[in-house]
Amino acid sequence: MIDLVRPGAAFALLLASASPALAQNDASAPVEVVVDTAKPGSKIDRNIFGQFAEHLGTGIYGGVWVGKDSSIPNVRGIRKDVVAALRAIRVPNVRWPGGCFADEYHWRHGIGAAKDRRISINSNWGGATEPNTFGTDEFMDFVDQVGSEAYISVNIGSGTVAEAAEWLEYMTADPATTAGKERAANGHAAPYKVKYLGIGNESWSCGGAMTADHYADVMKPFARFVRNYNPAQAADSPGAMQRIAVGPGDDNLSYTESVMKAWKAHDWAWSIEGLSLHRYTTGGGWPVTQPSTGFDEGRYALMLKETLGMDETIAKNAAIMDKYDPEKKVGIAVDEWGAWLAPNPGSNPGFLQQQNSMRDAILAALNLNIFARHADRVRLTNIAQMINVLQAMILTDKEKMVLTPTYHIYKMYLPFQDATYVPVRFDAGAYTQGDIKLPRVDAVAVRDTAGKLWLAVTNLDPNRPAKIVARFPGVQARAARGEVLTAPRVDSVNSFEAPNAVVPRPFTGKAGKDGVTLELPGKSVAVVQIDL
Ligand code: AHR
């Protein structure tokens, strides 16, 4: 049995230890999950449930913004149905405006009277027309309606320090200043809050193809001069803005080394609080070929195997960070992750539109579990992307909207927001598909902010149910109830025609003197509250 006592020690260890003896294939044998309620771990920052909204395809235009005159119900141009759905999953932060788009975004094009806004070309994403009708004030209105924090990525690729500094001044300065007066004239006298500041995006590639050392030098003046003037966000206060530097993409560790080395040598004049990490699951690299519908079990297993590598990617980066920052002052921000699949047939390939299946829901749950185990270092993540792009929460088509299986995982995991990690031990067993061997089950436990105990269990095996026996040494479990998400097939999806094909159902466990028994269907994720 593997001891998952410490967040961050977890899944790689578990996989490495899946010896033939443990890798039993007896589907009827119960999986024992021992929950150690006496040893609480790190706090799971609710910001690991963040979203990413780039000016890309119909992620913003159509997905969020329909305009004030639209027949689609809206508040000041922002879709009501989408806001209601996002409020229901308590989105903690939204990263905007990119992505690659951010390093070509000039904020002044997106403020003031709509008729005067510059119309440009979105050269990164399909050469679409960018009307700039959704700009800073509209984004801030959107996050306010959703109840989220703003994560603003500033342009360091084709912009200047002065441009980024003036943008922050526009958003956060006192109404008596010139910048504040301009904001007030555009409808918002009070300073906005900017909780997170991204200093560039993928500067090793679309953000300017900089070497790691060069980026570290470019980043410092932004960290120094791009100031937040909102008095509610004074430096060193609990609400202070967190600056996030560009870090690694996949397993290229050079940015982690250079940026953390630079950070260790920083003086009073600048600092960062976060290091970005991007890792997509493609099922075989680039260009992407994995379809989002109509795939077989082999492709299902391939994607899950690759996604589980997130654990090792975080562990490798965390080890480098530990060298320079043993006190863990700088957090990892996995601010782009998720399944990146082949575009829907017939769609503009530059719009990155894909369907979202039961497989993607399991993929999301496995990653959220990994982030929870690394909660000592991972403080924020943004799944890519929120609406209509890549592994989306929500799909829209004009007035229609559908919630994806991934959305339902985010809803089921709500008790994990700001919860405390609780260590679990279990034999993961094995699910084998061709030459791919995966753990058969995964499990994490937390205490929510009200002190209630929750257990999330995933059965990766699509064909066989898993009987879980959860034990709580020293305490008697009285009941277990929650929800389970499963579907007829791994590639089952929700569509506009059949929006409820993959939705959570009520789920209960049987409490006995030895703990709680949960009968998980194949290909499922269950989240249950344990009454002790
Ligand atoms: O999410 C789509 C793109 O993926 C982002 O714009 C970029 O940062 C990454 O390469």
Side-chain angles (χ1 to χ4, degrees), residues 52 54 56 99-100 125 201-202 280 336 340 352 385 390:
F52 174 32
E54 181 166 14
L56 193 175
C100 298
W125 302 116
N201 171 75
E202 298 193 354
Y280 284 99
E336 288 189 31
W340 188 323
L352 311 187
Q385 297 194 8
L390 300 177

Side-chain angles (χ1 to χ4, degrees), residues 22-31 297 300 362 427-433 436-442 457-468 484 486-488 490 518-525:
L22 292 180
Q24 36 77 18
N25 270 317
D26 178 2
S28 59
V31 179
E297 196 181 325
Y300 164 80
I362 291 176
D427 291 345
Y431 152 56
T432 306
Q433 163 60 33
I436 297 176
K437 190 179 264 187
L438 296 170
R440 182 173 155 222
V441 297
D442 190 19
V457 198
T458 300
N459 179 7
L460 286 74
D461 190 327
N463 306 312
R464 300 175 306 168
K467 185 178 191 168
I468 309 285
V484 67
T486 189
V490 286
L518 304 167
E519 305 272 0
L520 281 187
K523 51 181 158 350
S524 68
V525 181

Side-chain angles (χ1 to χ4, degrees), residues 60 62 120 140 167 180 236 259 262 271 296 321 349 379 381 399 405 417-418 454 472 476 514:
I60 297 287
S120 49
M140 288 299 189
W167 192 10
D236 297 328
V259 173
S271 190
D296 60 15
M321 294 173 81
R379 316 250 163 84
T381 92
E399 77 289 354
Q417 294 201 7
D418 281 343
W454 292 83
F472 309 89
Q476 176 67 47
D514 293 332

